[in-house]
Amino acid sequence: MLERLQREIAAAGGWIPFARYMELALQAYYGRGDQQFGPGGDFVTAPELGRLFGRTLARPLKEIHGPILELGAGSGALAETLLNELDCEYFILETSPALRSRQSARLGGKVKFLDRLPEAFRGAVIANEVLDAMPVHAVGWRAEGVVERGVSLDLTWKEKPASGAVLEAAKAIEVPAPYDSEIGLAGQAWMRSLAERLEAGVILVIDYGFSRREYYHPQRSMGTLMCHTRHRAHGDPFERPGEQDITAHVDFSALAYAAHESGLEVLGYATQAQFLVNCGITDVLAQANVENALHYAPLAAEAQTLLSPAEMGELFKVLAVGRGLEQPLLGFSRGDRSNTL
Ligand SMILES: C[S@@+](CC[C@H](N)C(=O)[O-])C[C@H]1O[C@@H](n2cnc3c(N)ncnc32)[C@H](O)[C@@H]1O
């Protein structure tokens, strides 16, 4: 991996954008095919905790009456739960060949794998913790102007004056210099192409992140890059490239704007806790046998992790955009924060 990176950086004249570095490092990371997910891996996502998240998410999806397209399905845990709850066609678009084999082994013939986005789609698109894995440009706002932070041959940060689309996007963001952060151009482009293909239905993006005002808050002057290895979180993206997860928080305002530009409506934006409560997570919990502690205790622990403000409840958000829905989407009846986007 190191050699591959250095060859590419040398061929580019000693510097590549951080977004390219992140893309190559994550391709290698998700391509390894070993166990990134779950208690023995590098991180735990909501579907890996158990079935409560998927069973609750199935409730709004049931009302859409269409096929599901899941992007970046990880170990296939969410697909497995949703297919138990819903009787619908299920498509997966997964960029890592190793994870696709793992999903195929787990889900068998119950899903259809796509190699690229369909030309047109009607139904529900889900992306859980996928946007945080999309490459971001690293940007520095300085007294002298905007710089793009890239990667040099010895895998350290190196700055250049920003130009093109990165400069354009950075100029639209007001922050007090000196200030470092990220801009998710790839995520925005992804949303635009998905939105253009969605003839009717909804796109649900679930991830950790903020609206723009919070994302580029004066106090968040070191950005949001975060790396995960064996449940340790740290901020050095150049440590063991290809062997650790590199992520950035999601700017939900930018995604909502990209969707809106492509003709979609913002259907809701809420914290994960509020969304799951609105979807009836407590009813799902109530179906469990409270008398049986062995059965109930793990479910209660799962609910705690999904809902607690100290864990996933507040930092994780749900953004729904779409068109042509016959009734309001379940999940946003209370605590909708669309007006903060
Ligand atoms: C952090 S994992 C989340 C997996 C799963 N959704 C979950 O919640 O457990 C990120 C997933 O997104 C996939 N991925 C990354 N970029 C993608 C892209 N542009 N399109 C589709 N999948 C992508 C990765 O291979 C991996 O499966």
Side-chain angles (χ1 to χ4, degrees), residues 30 37 43 45 47 72-74 93-96 99 128-130 134:
Y30 283 113
F37 304 92
F43 51 81
T45 60
L93 174 56
E94 170 59 63
T95 46
S96 155
L99 286 176
N128 187 63
E129 286 209 43
V130 178
M134 293 211 179

Side-chain angles (χ1 to χ4, degrees), residues 136-182:
V136 288
H137 285 84
V139 176
W141 287 258
R142 309 279 175 257
E144 320 69 83
V146 181
V147 293
E148 182 173 350
R149 306 173 72 225
V151 185
S152 64
L153 212 46
D154 58 356
L155 295 199
T156 54
W157 290 108
K158 189 172 168 187
E159 298 182 355
K160 274 186 169 186
S163 59
V166 176
L167 180 61
E168 256 329 83
K171 283 202 308 204
I173 298 167
E174 275 181 42
V175 285
Y179 191 97
D180 289 341
S181 193
E182 296 79 40

Side-chain angles (χ1 to χ4, degrees), residues 54-55 57-68 78-90 110 124 126:
R55 288 180 63 199
L57 186 60
R59 298 177 145 224
L61 294 177
K62 195 176 262 168
E63 295 183 353
I64 294 184
H65 304 294
I68 293 177
L78 180 60
E80 190 176 71
T81 305
L82 289 176
L83 282 163
N84 265 328
E85 300 290 317
L86 304 167
D87 181 22
C88 66
E89 259 190 308
Y90 205 104
K110 291 187 235 153
I126 317 167

Side-chain angles (χ1 to χ4, degrees), residues 185-298:
L185 294 181
Q188 294 166 36
W190 170 89
M191 177 57 96
R192 273 194 294 273
S193 50
L194 200 52
E196 281 158 13
R197 288 164 164 80
L198 186 75
E199 289 182 342
V202 59
I203 303 171
L204 275 172
V205 177
I206 308 167
D207 223 310
Y208 39 92
F210 314 106
S211 66
R212 172 152 290 207
R213 204 171 316 139
E214 273 184 89
Y215 196 100
Y216 298 104
H217 190 278
Q219 280 170 3
R220 211 183 304 284
S221 62
M222 311 256 291
T224 70
L225 284 182
M226 215 165 48
C227 308
H228 300 269
T229 181
R230 309 267 163 243
H231 295 276
R232 179 172 69 88
H234 66 89
D236 181 6
F238 306 122
E239 189 181 300
R240 300 191 301 132
E243 290 177 43
Q244 65 166 355
D245 189 25
I246 307 176
T247 73
H249 284 42
V250 173
D251 172 358
F252 280 101
S253 300
L255 289 185
Y257 186 74
H260 183 70
E261 266 188 327
S262 308
L264 298 194
E265 225 183 297
V266 174
L267 305 172
Y269 172 63
T271 63
Q272 175 170 294
Q274 187 70 65
F275 173 79
L276 292 175
V277 168
N278 288 341
C279 289
I281 192 170
T282 47
D283 299 339
V284 179
L285 263 178
Q287 289 163 10
N289 181 356
V290 187
E291 307 294 314
N292 180 345
L294 270 183
H295 177 63
Y296 192 72

